[in-house]
Amino acid sequence: MVTGGLKACTLLNWLHLDYRSIEMVVDRDPNKQGKAIPMAGIPIGSPEALPSTTPIQVLMLALDHSTEVEDFLYSHCAPGSRIVYLLTSFLHKGD
């Protein structure tokens, strides 16, 4: 799973990550849900699609509001799930 928006789209394409390596992107914006990340073809789902019983790994790309997203993920993902920060140097300290 991946969380993030436009920046996530740019980063995923820059890193050459696509639907073969990432199952789904999660976004709380209903206007994005049901669509796919351009060029990468990764489907965009709602947070309700997060599995609540099976631990998952989430690639965090919500750089400008990571604390809010992290809190949401920890409250909605199964225990044992991991959040992986790909670009830690871009995280805002006041998040």
Side-chain angles (χ1 to χ4, degrees), residues 11 14 60-64 66 84-95:
L11 290 168
W14 179 65
M60 173 68 81
L61 294 176
L63 305 177
D64 54 352
S66 60
V84 178
Y85 289 89
L86 184 64
L87 301 170
T88 56
S89 62
F90 288 96
L91 295 175
H92 292 279
K93 301 299 181 207
D95 231 356

Side-chain angles (χ1 to χ4, degrees), residues 7-81:
K7 289 177 279 279
C9 173
T10 302
L11 290 168
L12 291 171
N13 283 301
W14 179 65
L15 294 168
H16 304 285
L17 296 173
D18 61 19
Y19 65 92
R20 293 171 292 208
S21 52
I22 295 178
E23 179 182 338
M24 177 177 56
V25 170
V26 176
D27 199 301
R28 293 166 79 177
D29 183 349
N31 296 310
K32 296 177 185 177
Q33 296 167 4
K35 297 179 180 168
I37 297 290
M39 296 173 55
I42 304 167
I44 303 171
S46 72
E48 288 75 27
L50 292 168
S52 59
T53 57
T54 304
I56 60 171
Q57 290 192 44
V58 179
L59 180 60
M60 173 68 81
L61 294 176
L63 305 177
D64 54 352
H65 53 280
S66 60
T67 301
E68 172 192 346
V69 173
E70 182 179 276
D71 291 344
F72 178 85
L73 289 170
Y74 278 128
S75 67
H76 286 78
C77 291
S81 294

